[in-house]
Amino acid sequence: GGGMFEVAQAGLTMLDRGCGLIVGVTTPEGEPQAERAWAIRVVDEASKRIRCTMSADDERVVAGLRPGRTIAVTGADVRTLAAVQVKGPITWSGPADETDLALMAHQSDLFLEAIHEVDRNPVEQLRRMLPIEVISVEFDVVEAFDQSAGPEAGARVTSA
């Protein structure tokens, strides 16, 4: 147990409770950029392929979403602050499909409800965070890190 993909999957199960997702990429010029993602799911367990649907409102971020480039997605549980980061090469990016949009509606609702529960911010105001344009990205997980606050933060999760 305790393998990298198990940790990634444990991170993904957090999403069922309302999780914030931050995507890190670099622009073609090598500048780091961060953007929110609003849905995530495993598309192929064998290749450890994950698909996330994220904001496409910043063209500099979208420019970095090219196959072969590295992407990092960090998911943090709003209530417990437990966090996991998965990282790997992009295999595909393109328009969100019906499944992505339905999942985004569901997972973003859970996330906004969790924020409301913790901070009491009205959900209708929180909805302003939602992007106008979205794009979906697939990548293969090659690294996973426990990013939960505490002494172990940032520890690489081995495949052992």
Side-chain angles (χ1 to χ4, degrees):
M4 176 199 71
F5 199 55
E6 287 76 16
V7 168
Q9 286 181 308
L12 291 171
T13 61
M14 294 192 318
L15 299 172
D16 298 330
R17 299 198 300 273
C19 190
L21 293 169
I22 300 292
V23 176
V25 292
T26 52
T27 64
E29 299 76 44
E31 290 216 12
Q33 297 287 337
E35 189 54 275
R36 278 194 186 279
W38 296 94
I40 193 166
R41 62 189 160 106
V42 174
V43 285
D44 182 30
E45 290 198 22
S47 65
K48 302 180 172 65
R49 183 156 299 167
I50 285 179
R51 182 173 176 119
C52 70
T53 302
M54 58 181 282
S55 169
D57 291 344
D58 186 335
E59 60 203 28
R60 294 168 309 168
V61 173
V62 174
L65 301 176
R66 298 280 181 270
R69 300 181 70 90
T70 298
I71 188 171
V73 181
T74 304
D77 186 310
V78 172
R79 296 177 183 94
T80 66
L81 303 185
V84 65
Q85 181 183 76
V86 287
K87 198 172 184 179
I90 294 171
T91 56
W92 174 88
S93 67
D97 64 20
E98 302 259 324
T99 305
D100 296 328
L101 297 174
L103 192 62
M104 177 176 158
H106 174 65
Q107 289 184 346
S108 61
D109 275 352
L110 291 173
F111 173 55
L112 300 180
E113 285 294 335
I115 296 175
H116 172 70
E117 203 177 285
V118 172
D119 293 340
R120 309 313 303 164
N121 301 22
V123 170
E124 287 318 306
Q125 284 180 12
L126 294 171
R127 279 191 195 288
R128 294 182 197 151
M129 288 197 290
L130 288 165
I132 297 161
E133 304 274 334
V134 295
I135 187 169
S136 289
V137 185
E138 292 188 5
F139 66 100
D140 292 340
V141 175
V142 295
E143 293 180 286
F145 301 88
D146 180 349
Q147 296 289 26
S148 304
E152 301 300 311
R156 180 179 303 227
V157 180
T158 60
S159 309

